[in-house]
Every structure is written in structure tokens, then in C-alpha cells.
Amino acid sequence: MVGRAEAVAFLQEVSGGNPLMITELLASGQMLRGRLPMEQHADFLALAEVRLAALDPDVVGMLVALAVFERPPTLAELAGCAAQPVHETAGALDLAVAGGIVAKISRGPYSGHFELVHAMMRAAVLDWAALSQIEAARQRRVADPSLNPAERARHLLLMQGSVTERLQAVLDAANESLESFAFEEAVELGELALASLPDHGPGGGPTAARIALAVGQAYWRIGSHARAEESYRRASQLLGRSGYIEVDYLIALGPHLEFDLSGLAATQRAQQCLAALSDGRLVDGVQRVKLLATLALAQDSLDPEQAMVAAAEAMAASALVDDPVARAYAMAATAMTDMSPHTVGMRHDAARHILAVVEQHNEFRLASVGYFLLLRSLLEKGDIQELDLQLTHRSDVLDRFPELHQSKQAHWFRCLRAILDGDTVLAEQLVLAAHAEASATQEASADAVLRGQMGIIRWMQGQIGDVEGSFLRARRENPEERIWAASLVWLWHKQGRDDAAVRLLETLTDLDAIPRNRMWLSTMTALAEIASEMGSEQFARGIRDALLPYAQQVIPLGVGVAFWGTVGRSLGLLAERLGLVDEAREHLRTAMEISARSGAQAWLAEAQIEYAEFSLRHAESRNYCPAEARQLLEQALVSANRRSFRLLQVRAESVLSRLEADPAAGGPQVITAAPSQGHVPADGRARVRVMGAFDVVSHQGQRARWTSRKARELLKILVSMRGVPTSREVFMDALWPGQAPEALANRFAVAINTVRRAMDPARDFPPHHFLVVDAESVRLQLDHVDVDVEVFMALARGTSESQLRRAAQLYVGDVFAEEPYADWAGALRHEAQLTYCQLALVLARQDAGAGDLLSASQLYRAVLDIEPENRDAGQGLLEALTAMGAHGQAREVAGRMGAWEQEAAAATL
């Protein structure tokens, strides 16, 4: 055996110091490995040092400069970093290339640049060269104005000098990395700085705290939420009591606008916001709005009234600064603190505005709350098709913000979709997986979400007794949320424990004491089912009056993570209890229609059973049709058997047996079809939907799967032009503002072809069949494309009542609802709104005259949703509610009308 020194000398002699040969010998020389005591990395460095010591000083200077570059440099760049004339550097490179130390790149983006032939040679050069030589090379590299901030920061961290300067360089680089979506780079730089510079020096604490905040933002964007929160806590520790308001302000905001804080976390966030707001040095209006919005959401679980006050202050402050980001924060605070059912439209509009601001101003702190508001409002509106779209990679939101695809909001609503589909096995798997992930990252809402979703799943499985413990615990932990007490009353009544149910119900009879928050609707509908069977008639009438405005809505539970059924069902049960049989029938039919449209399998089966039960109870009515009742029960039984809805299965079988015993049960068959959820039949016409949500179905009945956001937008703009030939340049400017049309020809052609494929994927028709394109203009061929808003406008111009009613049914939402601020969308949207309001008022007056007060009130409310100060609609609604006996609702409408009059009078002064 020979010593390591002899082994190094031997390899030097054999390889001539060529690093590639040395590496090969060390990596694969079994004979050498068996005979020589070599340690590859250390011995490579030793061999390299032998080679470097034999080189000319000019070559060594060039190699040191090359080693400090993070990318292959050009000859001129290398000469500048080495402080050598170009010709001397060229000569040194020739020698290094000939010696197998340096290589000239021959292809790719760095063709003609230079690099060391082996990564370990870089370590060898930096390990062997004098520190002063390396420091000088880094100084010259840092002085290069073209150097990117991240590389500059890394060099400074390896150099001697001012700690403050180095920290500031890292902060600048980390912020630029955030701006350019290089989140991993921001994390790497920040963590390296905080680890390598633990002694921040005098005045360095605030800068170090800012670096920790930037790292927290980066962690949040890559989905490491627990690490993000940890970085924010570290920032607070680094800042200490130094009193830097700008950093205090950022810490108070947190890594994103959190909307489900509770307990200690909510209290701490609220205290941080209040402390920052009370500091007189905070003068920036936008900062104040952000703090008020954050405060409002932190207080929402602690003191809902104070939360609404903070949200109102945020909205008032945003009006003063007239800034789109401030406005978006204020809208988020208002939407999240007022989850009452009458603000669904406002929530949807706010979501779209917020997400537009996130994209335009890179204000990602708002992305998760904007996405949540969008998903919840789609659920509340019953637009399950659009909800499904927004949960997939085809979503316009997830296309812009792919990080949200794995967000807790997406997990919540995917669980909810499995619940709606009645797939209890998949739903339970998703719920438990989401809970495990949320618990691992210490999400405040983890247990509450689990409790709500599992309660619904157990009801679907017929295991309602299993949820009692969870309801009791939720009531103890959240006494202010009446939903849990109401749920216990419902459960105990179903179990026959009426004494306990009645005693607990006595604590819930003051309906005005139930907070109008995100739990109000689910609480009231739970009480509605109870009031339909027990309690006073006055109690039942009070609940009915309160719920009437929301007859067309579904019921989300809590923040929207579970489905509680339809308001129509609750109103139907109450109306029957109050002897309003015709009204009850209409509400129960509405419950079936909305459940079918929402794809809510368990609730559709329940609604079908309850309508059949209602029909049997009122068999003397002229509207009784036993064949229809049988068909509904058979449909419900099929669903219950297929999805193992045990309680519904038993219930359907019981009602069927009662129906069989009815001598009148052999009447003619009546088909009560649920609204179709499938594709339209192939008829040679493509269909485009822009009212409420955007959707395209080809002439063959295939739903379009968009791969291009620009193509989607192009089709929307074409719809807005209403078949009128429009210059190509108009479309190009809308799609790619500020770019020269001559440079956009190819991209525009691709977008055109994508639109054509959406309507005619198999290319069954000539190119101009759906989309007419010539040298100057483009237009949609409306003779071959059914656009819902065009059909709506045509029907609205009709003279018959049936045409107007068909038009009213088509208006399921605003035109281009997902493009609230696009200039090209406003004109058609406004025209459709005006048209709908006019026809809705006509139909409402007809319904009121015919005695159909429920339909009239719903139409009047629809007008007020679009035109809140429409006096004709307000007066009509007031009269309809008064005639229906809904005096509480009538007083509320009268109060709003009085406020309008006061505002109008003040405006004339």
C-alpha cells in the first residue's frame, strides 16, 4: 500500500492534470480503488491544485474570473471580470482549452461562450486561489450594471463588507424574484441570507425582517403555507421592538388575506392590525385600507358586528384614495363579512373584480379570497356547470393562478361536488385527506370543515346518530353559531326525543337574535323543517317571511363547504303547515327543479319523495296525479338504491306502498322530467352561452375544452359585436393591447382556428360556416350559431306572454359576468339588463293581477338585484309581500324605499 500523497502524485503523472481524465480514473478505476487510498472529492482538489500551481498567473486570473460567473461568459465579459486586456484573456483561454480545463460552447443559447469542463474544477479554483483575488473578481462582477439582482446578491453574501448592504441586496433580489414568479429563488436567497448573516448589525433588523416576509410570500406561493406563517413569525422576532411601522404593517397583513381565522390566531391578527392602524406614522391610504380589510376578516369569527364596521371603514377609505387595489381589498372585506343570502350577486361581482385586480396589479394576497368568493357564489346561484369548470385546469382563474388548483378552497369544493353527486365513498376519502393536510399545516378551519362535511355525508348514508357528538362539541365550541343548536333540535326530533328537542327549541324562537352571517340561511332552513312539524304557527310564519326572498337559492353550510339543500323545500314545508297549499306545491316543485339543475342527487331524491308525500296528503286536490307521484318515487328509489341513501330508500318504499293502496293510483302517466344536465342534441348548430357563465357546445353536442384563453376571449368579443363585421385590428388591440397588428397575424390566425374547432371539432362544415373571416374583418355567423343573449333579446321583443316568459327563463345571469371590466362587454351587458328589467316588470304585474303573488315577488326582486333603486319594482314588491302576509319583509322593503327618497331629496339640495 502507498500513502495518499504518493497516490496523488501518481494520478497527476498519469493524467497530466486533465480534470476529465482524473474524474474518470477516480470514478471507474477499480484497480486503483483497490490499491490506492483515494477520497474522490478531496483528492480531486489536491490534484487540481497541483495543476493550477503550474499555470501562468494570467491563466489563473482568467480561471478565477470564470469560476465566479454563474453562467458561461463571453470573451469580453471574462476579460472585464479578470481585469485583463481582451487579447491576454484570449491567449489564456487558448492555453486552458488546450489543457482540457476550459471548453468553448459550440451550440445552444451560450454558443461561443466559455465554461470550466467540470463542476469540481470551479470548486478547486475557488478553494486554491487567494481570497483577495476572488474578492476582487467578485467586486468587478458586482459592479457590472447588467448583472441580475439575484446573482449580485449571491456574490455579496460571499464577500466581505457591510452587512446592511448585503441584506438590502438580498431583499431587492428576493422582491424581484417574487415579481417575476421565481418563488424558489426568493426562498433560496432569503434563507441563505438569514442563515449566513445571523448578526444583522445596527439597523439591520428591519431589513432582515423584510427578507423573512419576502420568504414567507414565496413559501405561500409554492404552497408551503405552514412555512409561510413561520417566516412571518420569524420576521416579527427579527424586528423586535424597533418600531418600524412599514414592517409592522406587513407583518399585520400576513402572507395572504386570511378569511377563516379563529381563536388565538384571529385575536393576534386583529391586535396586530389595530396596533398598526393606531400608529400615527401610517399615512398611506392604500395601506390603511389593506389593514382595515385584514382586521375585518380577523374579527369576523370574534365579533361579526365589529367586523362589518371595519369593512365599512375600509370601503369608505378606498373611496378616498381611488385606487383599484384598495377597492379590491374593501370589496373582499365587505363580501366576506356579509355572507347573507341577499348579497349573492354582490359576492359574484366582487370575486371577478378582485381576481382581475390580482392579475393586473400582481396583488396575489387577494387571490385565494377572490377564488373562494367565486366558488361560493357559483354554488349559491346553483351554477354547478360553471363551478365544475372553475375546479379544473380549464378554469380561466386557474389558468392565470395555477397555485390555486391545490388550495384549500379547491379541496373544499371538490369534496362538495362529490357530496352533490351522492358519491359518499369518494366524498369521505376527499374530506379525510383534506382534513389531514389542513391539520398538518395547522389550518384554523380544519375541524369545522370536517364536522360540516361529515355531518352531511352521514345523513346521506342514513347514519344521522353518528353526528350527535360532533354537533354537541360544535355547539360548546361555537355557542354564537345557532346552526348547531338547530341541528341538535332537528336530530333529536328525528330520533323521537321531543322533550329535549322542545326545550332546546325554546332558546331559538327569537329569530331576530340569529346573526345574519354566513350561517344564517342554513340555521333558518334547519329551523324551518322543525317549525313545519312542531312549535307555534307564529314561529313558522316568521321563518317563512324571512326566507321568502331566497326561494330560488340553494343553501351552503358555513363558508360554503357543504350543501344543505334548497330554500324552496323549506318554504314548501312551512307553507303547507300554514295552510297555503298552492304556494307549498310551487315551492316543492322549485325544490325539485333546483336540485336537478344543481346535480344534487340526495336532495333531488328527497324532494321527489316529499312532493309525492305532499300529493298523497292532498289527494282531493284537482292537481293530484297519482301516476306522477309514482314516477317521482320510482326515480327517487333508483337514486337511493344506486347511491346507498338508506333513509331515503326506506322512505320511498314506504310512500310507494301507501300509493299502491290508493284506488285512484291508476291514472294516466305524467312525465315530470328533470332539467337535462347533458349535452344538447346534434342539430347542425353550435351554441354559445354568455349569460351567467361562458360555455360553448359544438354542432355535434360536444362541450368545448379550451386550451387558449385568448381564443375564449376572442369568441366573447365576437358575440359582443352581434354578427357585425369588425376589423381584425379591433380584435387584435383588445386581445394584445399595444402590440403592432403586423406582428400578430400568426397568433390571431391560431385564435381564429381554435374558435372554429370549438364549434366544429370534426371540421364537418366549411371554414366560413360559423365564423366569417375575410381580408379586412371577422364576424360570427349568427345564422348557424345560437347565442343565448341573442335568443333572449329576440324573445323579449315578442308580443305574446309565452315569449316573454321564455325570455325571462333564459336570463340566468348577467352577460359576460366573468368579464366585469372589459370595455367590449359593457354595452351588450347593459342592454340585456335593461331589457330583462322591462319584461320582468311586465310579467310581475301580470302575475300579481292573476293572484300569483309568489312569482310576482320573485320577479320584482330580480329587477331590484339589477336596479336596486327601481321604484316600480320596489312598490310592486311591497304590495305583493303585504298581500302574502309577509309583513316583516314588507317593512324592510318600505324602509329601503324610504332611504331612497331621502337620498334623492338630499341630492336635489
Side-chain angles (χ1 to χ4, degrees), residues 558-577:
V559 293
V561 297
F563 186 84
W564 199 257
T566 65
V567 179
R569 171 183 179 266
S570 302
L571 284 168
L573 299 177
L574 289 169
E576 186 181 18
R577 162 77 192 275

Side-chain angles (χ1 to χ4, degrees), residues 448-495:
V449 171
L450 175 72
R451 190 179 298 130
Q453 291 183 327
M454 288 304 298
I456 298 297
I457 291 170
R458 293 291 179 254
W459 169 77
M460 294 164 69
Q461 295 170 332
Q463 301 172 19
I464 57 174
D466 294 353
V467 300
E468 181 174 0
S470 125
F471 285 173
L472 286 167
R473 185 167 59 255
R475 184 185 174 213
R476 288 195 303 271
E477 294 173 358
N478 305 282
E480 74 284 354
E481 293 180 359
R482 309 297 179 87
I483 180 61
W484 305 116
S487 299
L488 284 167
V489 174
W490 170 83
L491 177 62
W492 292 342
H493 177 59
K494 292 294 182 186
Q495 295 174 333

Side-chain angles (χ1 to χ4, degrees), residues 431-620:
V431 169
L432 293 176
H435 180 260
E437 183 175 334
S439 298
T441 56
Q442 301 178 340
E443 293 284 358
S445 57
D447 291 341
V449 171
L450 175 72
R451 190 179 298 130
Q453 291 183 327
M454 288 304 298
I456 298 297
I457 291 170
R458 293 291 179 254
W459 169 77
M460 294 164 69
Q461 295 170 332
Q463 301 172 19
I464 57 174
D466 294 353
V467 300
E468 181 174 0
S470 125
F471 285 173
L472 286 167
R473 185 167 59 255
R475 184 185 174 213
R476 288 195 303 271
E477 294 173 358
N478 305 282
E480 74 284 354
E481 293 180 359
R482 309 297 179 87
I483 180 61
W484 305 116
S487 299
L488 284 167
V489 174
W490 170 83
L491 177 62
W492 292 342
H493 177 59
K494 292 294 182 186
Q495 295 174 333
R497 299 157 63 185
D498 283 344
D499 286 345
V502 168
R503 284 197 296 273
L504 186 54
L505 180 60
E506 289 172 355
T507 68
L508 299 169
T509 54
D510 184 359
L511 299 179
D512 292 334
I514 298 174
R516 281 193 172 248
N517 56 18
R518 65 186 66 172
M519 290 291 194
W520 182 84
L521 192 59
S522 52
T523 303
M524 293 296 286
T525 49
L527 290 174
E529 185 167 354
I530 298 163
S532 70
E533 299 180 23
M534 59 191 296
S536 69
E537 183 174 312
Q538 180 183 2
F539 182 54
R541 187 173 295 280
I543 298 173
R544 175 234 179 203
D545 290 354
L547 289 177
L548 269 175
Y550 317 115
Q552 299 292 319
Q553 289 185 211
V554 300
I555 310 162
L557 179 61
V559 293
V561 297
F563 186 84
W564 199 257
T566 65
V567 179
R569 171 183 179 266
S570 302
L571 284 168
L573 299 177
L574 289 169
E576 186 181 18
R577 162 77 192 275
L578 296 170
L580 307 171
V581 176
D582 289 341
E583 181 182 320
R585 180 179 292 106
E586 289 304 310
H587 285 309
L588 293 174
R589 280 195 175 278
T590 297
M592 286 193 294
E593 293 167 2
I594 294 176
S595 297
R597 189 169 68 241
S598 302
Q601 298 300 313
W603 290 271
L604 175 58
E606 180 185 52
Q608 291 169 328
I609 294 168
E610 288 181 337
Y611 190 86
E613 289 175 327
F614 173 86
S615 297
L616 276 174
R617 288 194 295 271
H618 300 280
E620 76 287 351

Side-chain angles (χ1 to χ4, degrees), residues 81 135-147 151-157 159 165:
C81 188
E135 187 88 0
R138 291 194 189 280
Q139 286 283 8
R140 289 189 288 269
R141 189 78 188 106
V142 166
D144 184 350
S146 66
L147 187 65
E151 185 177 347
R152 182 176 186 274
R154 279 190 285 269
H155 282 304
L156 286 170
L157 284 174
M159 294 165 58
E165 179 187 1

Side-chain angles (χ1 to χ4, degrees), residues 19 68-69 72 106 223 243 280 342 431 447 543 546 567 573 655 662 687 724 743 762-763 777 781 811:
V68 302
F69 270 89
S106 60
H342 72 276
V431 169
D447 291 341
I543 298 173
V567 179
L573 299 177
V655 182
D662 183 355
R687 288 164 170 77
V724 176
R763 301 185 180 180
S777 65
Q781 178 56 278
Y811 198 92

Side-chain angles (χ1 to χ4, degrees), residues 359-360 709-721 726-741 744 747-748 751 778 816 819 821-826:
E359 181 177 29
Q360 293 165 12
R709 187 153 51 99
K710 293 297 184 183
R712 275 171 56 101
E713 189 174 353
L714 172 60
L715 181 52
K716 294 177 190 176
I717 300 172
L718 283 162
V719 170
S720 75
M721 298 304 178
T726 305
S727 167
R728 290 165 170 260
E729 284 73 15
V730 171
F731 295 107
M732 291 178 181
D733 186 60
L735 294 170
W736 299 282
Q739 297 191 40
L744 297 171
R747 281 194 273 178
F748 188 62
V778 184
F816 305 125
E819 303 286 355
Y821 304 104
D823 292 339
W824 47 263

